[in-house]
Amino acid sequence: MTRELLISILQEGGMENPSKLVINSILNVVNDEKRDAVNEAIERTKGDFKDYKSKEDVESLEKQIADLKDAGAKAERVNKMKLKGINEKYIDFADGLLKESKDFDKDLEKYVGNYPEQFKQIQEDKKEKTFEDMGSSKKEKKESGPTSEWNTKFRSAILGSSN
């Protein structure tokens, strides 16, 4: 409320020339009541919403929850990759490619086919070659030149054939 508005209201109400003291007193009372009403509303609102969080707090909590979910999902992905035999130094690379996958298991199988050099060398299929009956350690006469019996046995042991 402005002074001019208050003067016009008082003049319409019958007061011909309201003094400055009357105007100031009325404005002070109105301002005090307005301030008290605002403070009371603030306190009541604080009491009503004391358990509520601010927008920034909610966003921070949502980010923390998402990070925890991502960490759990990453641990699960890394475990599956280790079970497939991916070498430790390639785990982060593989996780970077596969973390947004909709069907992780299917995409992991594709990854295994596409990057075979990243897997640990499993030596289950390697056959052991043994040298049997290689002859005595003393020098023998070479009867047939470079294709002696010892050379033939050595080649067969290396190549795995019966030459």
Side-chain angles (χ1 to χ4, degrees), residues 128-143:
E128 290 186 22
K129 307 238 181 215
T130 58
F131 295 102
E132 298 176 9
D133 192 24
M134 295 300 291
S136 64
S137 62
K138 63 181 178 178
K139 291 188 178 183
E140 298 179 10
K141 292 182 184 178
K142 293 185 180 180
E143 296 176 5

Side-chain angles (χ1 to χ4, degrees), residues 14-48:
M15 191 177 231
E16 288 184 21
N17 194 7
S19 70
K20 288 185 178 182
L21 181 62
V22 171
I23 301 291
N24 286 339
S25 298
I26 292 172
L27 286 175
N28 287 339
V29 168
V30 168
N31 287 336
D32 288 344
E33 286 183 11
K34 188 190 313 182
R35 185 177 43 249
D36 291 342
V38 167
N39 288 337
E40 181 182 317
I42 289 172
E43 291 302 319
R44 185 176 57 244
T45 304
K46 283 182 181 178
D48 292 344

Side-chain angles (χ1 to χ4, degrees), residues 62-127:
E62 287 174 347
K63 184 179 181 307
Q64 288 177 358
I65 290 170
D67 290 345
L68 288 174
K69 286 182 181 178
D70 288 345
K74 181 176 181 176
E76 184 178 342
R77 287 191 309 268
V78 167
N79 189 32
K80 286 182 179 182
M81 286 185 252
K82 285 181 180 178
L83 290 175
K84 284 290 184 182
I86 296 177
N87 199 329
E88 289 288 328
K89 64 183 177 181
Y90 297 112
I91 292 285
D92 288 334
F93 174 74
D95 187 50
L97 292 177
L98 298 173
K99 71 179 174 183
E100 298 297 326
S101 174
K102 301 289 183 202
D103 188 7
F104 180 78
D105 294 328
K106 183 178 176 183
D107 291 339
L108 182 59
E109 291 299 323
K110 286 181 186 177
Y111 183 85
V112 168
N114 292 340
Y115 298 98
E117 69 277 0
Q118 295 182 0
F119 295 91
K120 296 177 186 173
Q121 297 296 326
I122 300 172
Q123 298 183 0
E124 296 172 1
D125 296 335
K126 291 190 176 182
K127 296 178 183 176

